[in-house]
Amino acid sequence: MKGFGFEREKQEEFFEGKDKLPDLDAVEKMFCDEDAQQGLQENMKKRWYSILNEDIKEDVNLDHILYRIHYKINSEMNNRKKLNLESVIKWTGRVAAILILPLALYLAIQQFKPVSPEKMTWVDIKAPAWTRVQFSLPDGSTGWLNSNSSLRYSGDYLKDRTLILDGESYLDVVTDEKHPLSVITGGVVVKVLGTKFNVASYKDEENVEVVLEEGKILFSDLENKNIYTLEPNEMLTYNKTNKDLAAGKVNPQKYLAWKEGRLVFRNDPLDIVARRIGRWYNVDVEIIGEVRTDLRLRATFLDENLEEVMHLLEQSLSIDYIILDRNLISGEIYSKRKVIITQKLVETNI
């Protein structure tokens, strides 16, 4: 029986990227059909032995590669029906890396081969909606990415510990005085040596929020016009529009609880509550009309769904709300669910 999964020549073209548009069913069969495994393993062993004599860096830490593979399996398997052909091909390559050790080592080593500056490699870590992703960086630093967030760093990270963040991340940074770690996000730079902190900076939100748990943080905008040094248990809020910043003492655990899957509010006003619910449940939340400024919420949510949370808010804050379902925008693209909040009308007896 002939087919893409059983022809070694076709396998070579697939792994070397020469076959740009292979048949999807054939790609799946290559990695999923038991009859194809023997030939596939032989192919991978040959690739493994071919790189034994190459000049490989001995001090490369590949833990972050493993985390990326785990993430791809966990997140993309759940959305497999939505994958296009190109993403399926990339995903199947990573699954093979988990299942076949020689291929895993081959892929990792190939990524860390010396490259020219114009061909610098980048590593991307992403947390799709409804997920939280734990990761490890090449220097041993660890962290978490919240829902709808991404983190990027270059292949020479050990020489230049710079992270580019979109969304929210918690970082536990290993100390390296010669190489400070910088997080660039939302027009600001957060620079640290060794510390634990949280940064929230979503593109569609006006503020950047930095909460320090341990150590020290040097905060500045890209023009160095606003500079501030954070101490433990401090939170800094920077407005990306008017460039204003404000800092004050907080309980860091309220802002770090998302790592354990808890949504915590401690005497928070309604606008803050609405913004965090929007992030948490990946919905758009809009407050319409005048709402009392003294409305504050103290609560902890663990496994409650959006409807349960909004029902509690209705009872606790004396508000009305409606939840609008998704709308088809175009093709297979749907809008987010939307929550509209209004002040509850006070009934009067005449």
Side-chain angles (χ1 to χ4, degrees):
M1 179 179 178
K2 283 191 175 183
F4 183 91
F6 301 94
E7 299 178 16
R8 298 193 180 189
E9 181 179 346
K10 289 291 186 181
Q11 288 181 2
E12 292 288 343
E13 292 178 355
F14 174 79
F15 288 111
E16 292 175 7
K18 295 179 179 179
D19 195 341
K20 299 299 183 182
L21 292 173
D23 179 74
L24 177 58
D25 292 334
V27 172
E28 291 182 331
K29 184 173 292 186
M30 174 188 291
F31 294 101
C32 301
D33 194 322
E34 294 183 0
D35 295 334
Q37 295 306 301
Q38 181 177 354
L40 186 61
Q41 289 186 28
E42 291 177 359
N43 192 312
M44 294 302 96
K45 287 180 181 179
K46 183 178 71 173
R47 287 178 169 273
W48 164 242
Y49 290 122
S50 71
I51 63 174
L52 285 178
N53 295 325
E54 294 184 8
D55 183 18
I56 305 300
K57 294 183 179 180
E58 296 182 356
D59 60 347
V60 172
N61 185 324
L62 302 179
D63 287 348
H64 62 295
I65 298 294
L66 179 60
Y67 277 108
R68 292 185 67 210
I69 294 170
H70 287 169
Y71 157 72
K72 281 294 184 182
I73 292 176
N74 291 331
S75 63
E76 297 200 29
M77 277 293 288
N78 293 332
N79 300 292
R80 191 162 177 252
K81 292 183 179 180
K82 299 179 181 179
L83 296 178
N84 57 30
L85 180 59
E86 181 179 357
S87 61
V88 168
I89 295 172
K90 293 180 180 178
W91 170 76
T92 51
R94 287 170 171 79
V95 173
I98 279 287
L99 299 178
I100 307 170
L101 178 59
L103 178 58
L105 294 174
Y106 174 79
L107 292 175
I109 292 171
Q110 291 297 316
Q111 181 167 356
F112 281 92
K113 282 185 175 181
V115 294
S116 60
E118 60 271 15
K119 295 183 179 181
M120 177 65 69
T121 58
W122 289 86
V123 177
D124 292 285
I125 307 172
K126 297 184 178 181
W130 307 101
T131 68
R132 297 184 304 277
V133 173
Q134 188 175 18
F135 60 86
S136 177
L137 298 173
D139 62 353
S141 299
T142 59
W144 287 81
L145 268 183
N146 207 348
S147 173
N148 281 323
S149 301
S150 65
L151 196 69
R152 162 177 275 213
Y153 61 89
S154 68
D156 64 347
Y157 171 83
L158 292 176
K159 297 178 181 178
D160 179 12
R161 297 201 301 172
T162 297
L163 304 173
I164 300 174
L165 171 67
D166 175 25
E168 184 169 18
S169 179
Y170 172 82
L171 287 162
D172 184 351
V173 179
V174 170
T175 300
D176 184 347
E177 295 184 357
K178 294 182 178 179
H179 303 94
L181 182 141
S182 296
V183 178
I184 300 175
T185 181
V188 303
V189 179
V190 177
K191 185 171 290 187
V192 304
L193 291 177
T195 185
K196 298 179 181 180
F197 65 104
N198 194 83
V199 182
S201 176
Y202 289 86
K203 289 180 179 178
D204 58 351
E205 292 188 7
E206 199 170 52
N207 293 331
V208 177
E209 299 174 352
V210 183
V211 177
L212 179 59
E213 184 180 15
E214 295 180 9
K216 283 189 177 183
I217 286 178
L218 178 63
F219 175 95
S220 69
D221 56 22
L222 295 180
E223 295 82 19
N224 286 322
K225 293 181 179 179
N226 289 287
I227 301 176
Y228 188 88
T229 301
L230 276 78
E231 301 289 341
N233 302 325
E234 266 194 314
M235 173 178 174
L236 182 145
T237 302
Y238 175 80
N239 187 291
K240 292 183 283 188
T241 302
N242 58 33
K243 315 296 183 183
D244 288 341
L245 61 83
K249 290 291 184 179
V250 296
N251 176 4
Q253 297 310 311
K254 180 178 77 170
Y255 299 92
L256 308 181
W258 62 266
K259 299 189 284 88
E260 286 77 42
R262 293 182 290 118
L263 181 59
V264 178
F265 298 102
R266 292 293 180 264
N267 199 37
D268 291 304
L270 184 58
D271 60 333
I272 300 297
V273 173
R275 184 169 71 245
R276 295 183 62 200
I277 287 176
R279 290 181 192 168
W280 192 262
Y281 293 101
N282 191 36
V283 296
D284 290 327
V285 182
E286 182 180 358
I287 301 175
I288 295 180
E290 294 292 330
V291 177
R292 286 168 44 195
T293 58
D294 62 338
L295 295 180
R296 302 236 168 205
L297 179 67
R298 181 180 180 87
T300 299
F301 301 103
L302 181 57
D303 295 317
E304 289 82 357
N305 59 35
L306 175 63
E307 288 75 10
E308 292 170 330
V309 170
M310 293 308 303
H311 178 70
L312 185 142
L313 262 62
E314 180 184 37
Q315 303 300 314
S316 303
L317 302 180
S318 187
I319 62 169
D320 286 321
Y321 73 91
I322 58 174
I323 299 177
L324 304 179
D325 289 333
R326 301 171 183 270
N327 290 318
L328 181 63
I329 299 175
S330 64
E332 298 182 356
I333 300 176
Y334 284 80
S335 65
K336 292 182 180 180
R337 298 176 74 190
K338 185 169 185 176
V339 178
I340 298 178
I341 297 175
T342 57
Q343 177 71 60
K344 186 181 288 292
L345 296 176
V346 177
E347 294 183 1
T348 59
N349 294 322
I350 301 177

